[in-house]
Amino acid sequence: TEIDWNYFFSRIWPKLTMANPQAKSLSASAVFAEIHSFIKGSFTALDQPGGRLPREEYLRLPAKMAPNFKGLSASDKITDLPGDKRGNRDLIYDLFEAYEVEKRRLNAYDISDLVQNLWQRLQQTPYPGTPIHALFVDETQDFVQAELRLFLHICSNKN
């Protein structure tokens, strides 16, 4: 089963909010976007074990890069987060971990898992198909960094 936005919102989000009442005040779409844009969909997530940013690295993303939820500044320690964690990236990461548990329970995958799988395969074995010289993409802003990195990796002309 592929977990897309509709599946996440209708079947997984209710379970996440039931298990973590703080999540009820958050936008499901903002959480879904945060998971797929930063935790699993960032350029650097592809190089991490499991294809995800570690919690502390996610918490330290600059506010200009990931402005939706409060993270840590360079001088903060992970123990400096407020006790309630409400609206902070720490809570988002908790929800992400719960999402991953539920996804495994369902034996499901999402687009970020697909991108990670392709990336790992291409790191082990170069792209064996017909050479791709260029790729033209409409609505580039709708792709996350990891997807764009994958596209660039398989093109011979990176410009």
Side-chain angles (χ1 to χ4, degrees):
T1 303
E2 179 182 0
I3 297 178
D4 60 7
W5 159 247
N6 290 326
Y7 193 97
F8 175 83
F9 183 68
S10 65
R11 301 209 177 149
I12 295 179
W13 183 247
K15 291 178 183 181
L16 296 179
T17 57
M18 193 178 312
N20 193 330
Q22 290 177 321
K24 290 180 182 178
S25 66
L26 301 175
S27 159
S29 62
V31 172
F32 188 78
E34 199 79 1
I35 290 169
H36 291 289
S37 296
F38 302 109
I39 299 173
K40 293 177 76 175
S42 65
F43 183 91
T44 55
L46 286 177
D47 297 323
Q48 299 292 329
R52 64 185 69 173
L53 294 179
R55 181 184 294 261
E56 190 156 352
E57 191 170 331
Y58 169 64
L59 293 176
R60 292 196 182 282
L61 288 176
K64 286 186 178 182
M65 178 185 281
N68 292 334
F69 298 98
K70 184 180 181 324
L72 295 175
S73 66
S75 61
D76 290 339
K77 296 183 187 109
I78 201 163
T79 55
D80 291 340
L81 285 171
D84 68 358
K85 301 193 264 189
R86 182 176 173 169
N88 285 303
R89 290 188 200 154
D90 204 43
L91 172 59
I92 303 305
Y93 208 91
D94 290 345
L95 294 171
F96 159 68
E97 289 177 329
Y99 163 69
E100 288 292 311
V101 167
E102 181 64 12
K103 192 172 55 134
R104 278 191 302 274
R105 188 187 73 73
L106 296 167
N107 196 28
Y109 68 95
D110 59 34
I111 187 68
S112 296
D113 296 326
L114 176 63
V115 170
Q116 175 66 22
N117 182 282
L118 290 171
W119 180 258
Q120 290 303 318
R121 288 176 183 216
L122 288 170
Q123 299 311 298
Q124 296 167 2
T125 306
Y127 174 65
T130 304
I132 298 173
H133 303 291
L135 193 62
F136 295 90
V137 178
D138 188 25
E139 302 292 335
T140 304
Q141 74 277 4
D142 292 339
F143 291 94
V144 298
Q145 291 176 356
E147 293 166 331
L148 295 171
R149 186 177 181 193
L150 184 63
F151 294 162
L152 288 171
H153 184 77
I154 61 171
C155 289
S156 59
N157 180 357
K158 307 292 187 217
N159 293 316

